[in-house]
C-alpha cells in the first residue's frame, strides 16, 4: 500500500469533480441533481454507514480503504446513484411492494407445506382397505 496512492486520498476526486460526474447523468433541460456539497456528503455518509453495517463494496480493490473513501470512489465511478425525492419515494415503494410479494409467496408456500403435511398425516390413519383407523 503506497502512501501516495490516489485511492486513499480524500482530496481526489474533489467535490467539484463529483458534482460534474453526477450532473452529467442529468438530461439537458433538467435541473442538476446536485447543487451543493451537502448532498454529496450526505450520500457518501449514508453509503459509508451501509458499508460499516456489512454491505459489499461496489468497486474493486478496496483493501485498506475506509468506508467513506470507498463511498466517494463508488460515487465517482457511477456505481452509487443519488436519487431525487420522487425517485427515492418510487424506489422505496417498489422495494416495499417487492418485500410484501416475497412475504406473501413465503406464506403461501408455508400454507401449502402445512396442507400437504396434514394430508399426509390423515392418510397415515387409514388402512390399505380405505377405512379409517382410530388413534390410541
Amino acid at each position: 500500500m503506497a502512501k501516495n496512492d490516489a485511492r486513499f486520498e480524500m482530496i481526489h476526486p474533489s467535490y467539484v469533480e463529483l458534482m460534474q460526474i453526477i450532473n452529467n447523468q442529468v438530461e439537458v433541460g433538467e435541473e442538476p441533481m446536485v447543487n451543493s456539497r451537502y448532498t454529496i456528503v450526505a450520500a457518501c455518509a449514508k453509503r459509508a454507514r451501509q458499508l460499516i453495517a456489512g454491505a459489499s463494496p461496489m468497486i474493486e480493490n478496496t483493501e485498506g480503504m475506509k468506508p467513506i473513501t470507498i463511498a466517494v470512489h463508488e460515487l465517482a465511478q457511477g456505481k452509487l446513484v443519488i436519487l431525487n425525492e420522487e425517485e427515492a419515494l418510487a424506489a422505496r415503494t417498489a422495494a416495499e411492494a417487492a418485500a410484501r410479494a416475497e412475504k406473501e409467496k413465503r406464506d403461501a408456500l408455508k400454507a401449502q407445506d402445512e396442507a400437504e403435511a396434514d394430508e399426509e398425516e390423515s392418510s397415515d390413519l387409514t388402512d390399505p382397505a380405505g377405512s379409517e383407523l382410530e388413534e390410541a
Side-chain angles (χ1 to χ4, degrees), residues 16-70:
V16 173
E17 290 171 322
L18 287 172
M19 282 197 285
Q20 289 172 345
I21 291 167
I22 295 165
N23 289 333
N24 278 341
Q25 299 169 2
V26 176
E27 294 182 22
V28 176
E30 289 186 7
E31 187 175 326
M33 182 66 68
V34 177
N35 292 320
S36 69
R37 294 178 180 187
Y38 174 78
T39 305
I40 293 171
V41 170
C44 289
K46 184 174 184 175
R47 177 63 181 150
R49 287 191 299 273
Q50 292 172 350
L51 292 166
I52 291 167
S56 298
M58 295 184 280
I59 59 172
E60 302 286 324
N61 303 323
T62 59
E63 187 176 327
M65 296 172 90
K66 294 183 179 180
I68 191 69
T69 305
I70 295 170

Side-chain angles (χ1 to χ4, degrees), residues 75-128:
L75 188 61
Q77 292 178 22
K79 306 283 184 179
L80 183 61
V81 178
I82 297 175
L83 303 176
N84 63 30
E85 289 179 30
E86 293 170 0
E87 293 169 332
L89 178 61
R92 205 170 20 256
T93 303
E96 289 169 356
R100 274 193 308 276
E102 184 63 30
K103 183 181 182 315
E104 289 171 2
K105 182 179 176 182
R106 281 193 315 268
D107 291 346
L109 288 173
K110 183 179 177 183
Q112 181 181 1
D113 288 345
E114 289 172 356
E116 288 174 0
D118 288 346
E119 184 178 301
E120 191 174 293
E121 185 177 297
S122 68
S123 68
D124 290 344
L125 297 177
T126 58
D127 68 8

